[in-house]
Amino acid sequence: MRFVIARFPFDLTKAGVLESMKGVKPEPITGDSVVIGRRSYPVKQVGAVVTRQDRRDFTAAEVIRALTALGFTCRPLETVPAPAAALTPLEKASAMLGAPSGV
């Protein structure tokens, strides 16, 4: 299928992407990812390998659109809720004592 990534047309196939990514070690995932074979790769890494372009030249959305159309599973970065801020010892003691009654 023909896809336009960073204003350049690319004829990509699922088999071609699989062949291009064969032997490529996945980088740590810090954003959207795509499952190729049994491995998860950052979308930008796959885009750079397949198109041979600099990662700054295309967006993750362009690559996700192409890979999804080819039948690959793309996943957004799973956001983990930040832990609640721990109270300082002074705040903890103040909470235990309660608010002053004359206020």
Side-chain angles (χ1 to χ4, degrees), residues 3 5 12-14 17-18 21 33-36 41-44 46-47 50 60-74:
F3 299 98
I5 300 174
L12 302 176
T13 63
K14 187 168 186 169
V17 172
L18 289 169
M21 296 307 294
S33 64
V34 59
V35 178
I36 298 178
Y41 292 88
V43 170
K44 290 281 224 169
V46 175
V50 171
E62 291 174 305
V63 179
I64 288 171
R65 189 177 317 114
L67 293 174
T68 302
L70 291 174
F72 292 101
T73 302
C74 297

Side-chain angles (χ1 to χ4, degrees), residues 10-79:
F10 292 94
D11 289 319
L12 302 176
T13 63
K14 187 168 186 169
V17 172
L18 289 169
E19 185 65 30
S20 295
M21 296 307 294
K22 190 180 289 185
V24 176
K25 182 180 175 188
E27 296 174 356
I29 296 173
T30 58
D32 296 329
S33 64
V34 59
V35 178
I36 298 178
R38 294 182 298 176
R39 295 180 171 182
S40 291
Y41 292 88
V43 170
K44 290 281 224 169
Q45 179 185 12
V46 175
V49 170
V50 171
T51 66
R52 296 184 184 98
Q53 291 183 322
D54 190 283
R55 297 174 192 209
R56 296 172 291 182
D57 293 340
F58 56 85
T59 65
E62 291 174 305
V63 179
I64 288 171
R65 189 177 317 114
L67 293 174
T68 302
L70 291 174
F72 292 101
T73 302
C74 297
R75 298 180 180 152
L77 177 65
E78 294 154 357
T79 56

Side-chain angles (χ1 to χ4, degrees), residues 92-101:
K92 187 183 253 182
S94 295
M96 289 171 66
L97 290 173
S101 59

